[in-house]
Amino acid sequence: MSVSKSWIWRSSLSTLLTVLALSRVVITENYPLPIVNTDVAILGGGASGTYAAVRLREDYGKKVLLIEMEAVLGGHVNTYTDPETGEAFNYGVQSYIDYEGAKEFFERFEIPLQPNVLFSSTTVDVDPNTGNIVPNATVPPPLNGVIAALEKYYDLIVPWNDLMLPGYWNFPPGDQIPADLLLPFSDFVAKYDLGDMAPIISVVSGQDINTPNPTLFVVKNFGATVVEGFLNNTFFDPVPFNNSLLYGDAERFLGDDVVLTSTIVEANRSYNGISLVVEDVQTGTRTLVSAKRLLVASQPSINNLAVLGLDEQEKAVFSTWSYGTVYTAVLKTNLIPDNTSVSFVTPANSTSAQKPYSFGITWNGAPGYFWIIFSSTEDLSETEAKEAIIAEMNTLYNGGSFPPIGSSAPSSEVVAISNHSSVVWGQSVEQLKAGFVQDLYALQGHKGTWYTGGLWCPDYSSNVWAFTDTVLPKLLEGLD
């Protein structure tokens, strides 16, 4: 981990002993370690962590150290650059909601903005087992039916804004939770005749309108701000259409206050302070970080945060998450024409075994390139996910409906892939009624540790930033 000299202070023996007494960290072969003294250590350089670092340093005047495992900031923002044309291809976050201070964050870095960049394409339904086109597999509802259903849905969920936006600080306990929020979403859809919005909820939030999950789980990621963006066409993107620009600018702006390819290997947390041993995973270099507060902006699972020495209160909450394997990828192929997307649909009369994964192929504006969101019920590695995608492309070719374009030989390659596997809300209705949300938020400030990110609020960058704005003043209370 590269740390500038301005960060490293060689303390007197008495000061060093004080730090070590606070940390209670066993340091052997690496002793003595260089020491970094900061106000707030931030774990995770995705949307929330990067935003928090900028705001804490620039708007609150605090010293920060942003610790990120990857080689770049941005989290689920992924951009592939065509080596021949230099054209950027976003295969993670696609656009932003015009919510609270989202546009101001881009303006801080003088990044121009534009209305949401959209690419239209014709969707072809294909049997994933044979590669054959499935005629009339899906018949979308008329556009006016979709809009009417969305407007009805919006009117139903707007009264819950105070409970859910930008976070769940005001979420009620037990029997005070609105009954409709606890209904299986499929029942909620049937109750209010919302079926026509199925295509939009699938494309915008990746959720199935027939899911048995509580309505709360759907609304938290397909809420009023998202629906407003769709109905009023207020989503926006940067100019040029490269969502990694913001995080590249933020990384340069924060300079030595960011350490990349780094992780925490030892830690001690208390209300009196935080001590972390941070290791650069590429060089093995270790640094002792002494902070007044810790802000966790990465996924708070038991495995991810085990190094923090979670106590029973924390484990009880974090053990209730569900887990999903998700990859997002860029496919380069000569089998699918531009302006065409492929949806894999198993016919109702199929006798083939259900595959443990699913994905769609979406044309996203760049000739010859396609965007894939790959999900699996099994814990597949990156290599296994790529192999599954290529196997499906071979099936597509063998089906005969997609001959190679401009060549006699088929060519398909996954040129970029990113692991978006995550922990998600999966609590039962009984757990929600028993106070899960209140138990979750009771961890804010526990042992000097605060949290932000998509598990603590609706998981869209603009909303995550707004939620972070509610956390920072609380984190800073009593901080000298």
Side-chain angles (χ1 to χ4, degrees):
M1 179 178 69
S2 176
V3 180
S4 69
K5 291 182 179 179
S6 63
W7 267 105
I8 301 176
W9 49 277
R10 300 287 184 179
S11 62
S12 65
L13 178 60
S14 61
T15 303
L16 179 58
L17 290 175
T18 299
V19 171
L20 294 178
L22 170 65
S23 68
R24 298 199 300 277
V25 172
V26 178
I27 303 170
T28 54
E29 73 273 12
N30 292 306
Y31 180 85
L33 295 178
I35 301 173
V36 169
N37 189 33
T38 190
D39 291 319
V40 183
I42 304 171
L43 178 58
S48 58
T50 301
Y51 181 84
V54 172
R55 287 227 60 204
L56 284 168
R57 196 185 78 172
E58 297 305 305
D59 300 333
Y60 290 99
K62 300 300 180 182
K63 292 187 291 183
V64 300
L65 184 67
L66 178 57
I67 304 162
E68 169 55 38
M69 179 68 172
E70 301 298 329
V72 295
L73 299 180
H76 286 176
V77 170
N78 305 108
T79 306
Y80 172 75
T81 302
D82 186 327
E84 297 179 2
T85 66
E87 185 175 359
F89 184 102
N90 296 305
Y91 64 104
V93 173
Q94 294 293 304
S95 60
Y96 297 86
I97 303 166
D98 187 5
Y99 180 63
E100 296 200 1
K103 286 186 174 179
E104 285 75 10
F105 193 42
F106 285 87
E107 291 167 358
R108 185 189 289 263
F109 297 99
E110 299 181 350
I111 297 175
L113 301 176
Q114 61 183 326
N116 182 28
V117 177
L118 297 173
F119 302 101
S120 61
S121 62
T122 300
T123 299
V124 179
D125 296 319
V126 175
D127 184 338
N129 300 296
T130 65
N132 296 326
I133 292 177
V134 182
N136 303 317
T138 56
V139 180
L143 181 59
N144 61 346
V146 173
I147 299 301
L150 278 177
E151 290 174 339
K152 184 189 296 186
Y153 174 74
Y154 177 79
D155 290 340
L156 289 166
I157 65 176
V158 161
W160 300 331
N161 280 358
D162 290 342
L163 309 182
M164 303 182 66
L165 294 176
Y168 313 118
W169 300 106
N170 300 321
F171 197 83
D175 291 337
Q176 298 177 43
I177 303 173
D180 278 348
L181 276 177
L182 300 180
L183 275 180
F185 188 65
S186 56
D187 292 353
F188 180 79
V189 169
K191 178 179 178 179
Y192 294 106
D193 190 22
L194 302 172
D196 280 355
M197 71 176 189
I200 299 303
I201 194 172
S202 175
V203 170
V204 175
S205 68
Q207 301 185 85
D208 184 351
I209 201 163
N210 294 313
T211 179
N213 287 333
T215 296
L216 169 64
F217 294 179
V218 176
V219 175
K220 72 186 290 291
N221 289 327
F222 190 64
T225 55
V226 180
V227 178
E228 286 174 5
F230 185 84
L231 291 174
N232 301 325
N233 194 28
T234 55
F235 292 111
F236 68 89
D237 287 309
V239 179
F241 184 41
N242 180 340
N243 285 322
S244 293
L245 291 176
L246 174 66
Y247 294 94
D249 286 352
E251 179 185 328
R252 288 185 288 272
F253 180 73
L254 290 168
D256 292 330
D257 295 335
V258 177
V259 287
L260 301 173
T261 64
S262 297
T263 188
I264 297 171
V265 294
E266 297 180 55
N268 184 69
R269 300 172 298 138
S270 77
Y271 293 101
N272 297 319
I274 308 294
S275 291
L276 310 169
V277 175
V278 179
E279 180 179 279
D280 186 316
V281 297
Q282 293 185 339
T283 66
T285 303
R286 292 187 172 187
T287 301
L288 178 61
V289 176
S290 177
K292 298 174 182 177
R293 300 282 192 276
L294 174 64
L295 178 62
V296 175
S298 59
Q299 294 188 6
S301 70
I302 290 178
N303 288 340
N304 289 347
L305 301 185
V307 70
L308 298 183
L310 300 176
D311 63 20
E312 293 307 310
Q313 180 182 351
E314 294 164 321
K315 290 179 181 178
V317 174
F318 296 153
S319 65
T320 66
W321 303 126
S322 295
Y323 297 82
T325 298
V326 179
Y327 290 93
T328 182
V330 180
L331 173 71
K332 184 177 182 181
T333 182
N334 66 353
L335 295 179
I336 305 173
D338 293 341
N339 305 101
T340 302
S341 298
V342 172
S343 175
F344 290 106
V345 178
T346 302
N349 60 355
S350 174
T351 59
S352 299
Q354 185 73 26
K355 296 183 178 181
Y357 59 82
S358 63
F359 64 93
I361 303 174
T362 303
W363 187 70
N364 212 29
Y369 289 97
F370 297 82
W371 176 36
I372 286 176
I373 297 180
F374 178 101
S375 61
S376 174
T377 57
E378 298 179 353
D379 185 16
L380 299 184
S381 68
E382 181 178 297
T383 297
E384 290 170 326
K386 292 170 71 172
E387 289 174 348
I389 293 170
I390 296 303
E392 211 66 71
M393 295 306 297
N394 290 336
T395 300
L396 198 70
Y397 170 69
N398 292 331
S401 298
F402 292 88
I405 300 168
S407 171
S408 59
S411 175
S412 296
E413 178 186 4
V414 177
V415 296
I417 190 168
S418 178
N419 191 340
H420 283 210
S421 299
S422 60
V423 295
V424 297
W425 285 39
Q427 295 74 24
S428 67
V429 168
E430 289 71 25
Q431 287 173 310
L432 295 171
K433 285 184 174 181
F436 164 75
V437 176
Q438 289 71 35
D439 292 343
L440 178 68
Y441 270 54
L443 296 181
Q444 293 284 11
H446 182 64
K447 297 177 70 172
T449 305
W450 295 81
Y451 298 88
T452 185
L455 284 170
W456 302 84
C457 63
D459 190 14
Y460 287 88
S461 297
S462 302
N463 189 86
V464 167
W465 296 336
F467 173 72
T468 302
D469 283 336
T470 70
V471 173
L472 297 186
K474 300 176 188 294
L475 176 152
L476 294 172
E477 288 179 6
L479 189 66
D480 297 332

